[in-house]
Amino acid sequence: MVRQLTMIAATALTLAPLAAHSQAKPGELTYRCVSKDGKTYYSSTLPQECVGRPVEQLSTSGIVRRISPEGDEKERLAKEAEAKKKREDEAAAREASRRNSALLATYTSEQDIDEARSRALVDNEKAIKEIELRIESIKKLQASYGKELEFYKDNNKPPARLQDDIRDAEIDLQAQEDLLAAKKNDANHINAKYDDDKKRYRELSRRR
């Protein structure tokens, strides 16, 4: 008797989800999946236990549609990439509009751009001259340290102060030479910037 009751209960548990599915209203869908622990789940919404698992979508008309978690993930990633690109394109368009507005507010003619270029190049050349003077000054200082160092040739160790001064001068010289190279390269960047400004100004002027 107990065995018969157990079999009846087991059968009822097995048929319960199917019965629930058969009672669903026309057009409604039922989701079915097998979880990691081997249990089968049925629900009118996607069960939490089905996330990341293959899912079957059952219609009341008996149509079974299998949903692949990998396919869904690819679709999600594709949508995210598309949305990200759209945001980036919109941000780029806003930035271009801002730069164009700033350009038209800054210059009233191409001559204004040429004059601004000339001022920037003059300022850059002035900075180069100042750096070259500092380099010349450091080299003179190094020469004086070299003469002072000659007094200690006969196996006499130069004082710590002199060694520190020589080391500091070498560091300063390297820093100024690096700065000089950067400033000389700035002239190319300045010309490129104002070439671009002039090109954009012409294009924007034609649209007005």
Side-chain angles (χ1 to χ4, degrees):
M1 183 68 176
V2 174
R3 183 178 178 184
Q4 289 179 338
L5 290 174
T6 302
M7 291 179 65
I8 292 172
T11 303
L13 288 173
T14 302
L15 296 177
L18 298 176
H21 172 59
S22 65
Q23 294 172 4
K25 296 178 181 179
E28 286 187 351
L29 298 173
T30 299
Y31 294 93
R32 178 176 65 191
C33 77
V34 178
S35 65
K36 291 181 179 179
D37 57 7
K39 294 181 180 178
T40 301
Y41 291 87
Y42 290 82
S43 177
S44 58
T45 59
L46 188 65
Q48 183 63 33
E49 294 80 4
C50 293
V51 175
R53 305 286 297 173
V55 177
E56 290 180 329
Q57 199 178 58
L58 315 175
S59 69
T60 53
S61 59
I63 298 175
V64 179
R65 175 174 172 262
R66 289 176 174 78
I67 303 174
S68 168
E70 292 183 0
D72 288 350
E73 180 67 8
K74 288 179 181 178
E75 183 179 356
R76 183 184 68 80
L77 292 175
K79 287 182 178 179
E80 287 182 359
E82 183 180 355
K84 180 181 178 183
K85 185 178 184 305
K86 183 179 179 181
R87 291 193 301 269
E88 290 174 347
D89 290 344
E90 290 173 348
R94 288 194 299 270
E95 176 61 16
S97 178
R98 183 198 67 77
R99 290 180 66 239
N100 290 339
S101 297
L103 185 72
L104 293 174
T106 303
Y107 305 117
T108 59
S109 66
E110 291 185 28
Q111 183 179 349
D112 286 349
I113 299 176
D114 291 334
E115 290 174 354
R117 181 206 303 266
S118 297
R119 288 193 297 270
L121 289 172
V122 167
D123 289 343
N124 190 66
E125 187 62 30
K126 181 181 178 181
I128 288 174
K129 295 296 183 185
E130 290 175 354
I131 296 170
E132 288 175 340
L133 288 175
R134 288 199 293 271
I135 289 175
E136 184 179 348
S137 177
I138 293 171
K139 287 182 176 180
K140 288 180 179 179
L141 197 59
Q142 285 180 315
S144 68
Y145 293 152
K147 290 180 180 179
E148 186 176 351
L149 196 61
E150 290 179 358
F151 290 105
Y152 303 96
K153 281 186 176 181
D154 300 330
N155 297 324
N156 292 321
K157 185 178 180 181
R161 173 198 57 79
L162 179 58
Q163 295 182 63
D164 290 342
D165 288 343
I166 292 173
R167 184 185 65 252
D168 291 344
E170 290 175 349
I171 294 173
D172 289 345
L173 179 62
Q174 184 61 56
Q176 293 301 318
E177 287 178 341
D178 290 344
L179 183 58
L180 179 62
K183 279 296 177 183
K184 287 183 175 180
N185 195 41
D186 279 349
N188 296 327
H189 295 311
I190 290 170
N191 281 318
K193 174 193 180 306
Y194 286 101
D195 284 344
D196 179 66
D197 284 352
K198 202 169 190 178
K199 179 182 177 182
R200 288 193 296 119
Y201 184 85
R202 286 174 180 169
E203 292 174 351
L204 294 170
S205 296
R206 283 197 294 267
R207 297 177 193 172
R208 291 191 295 181

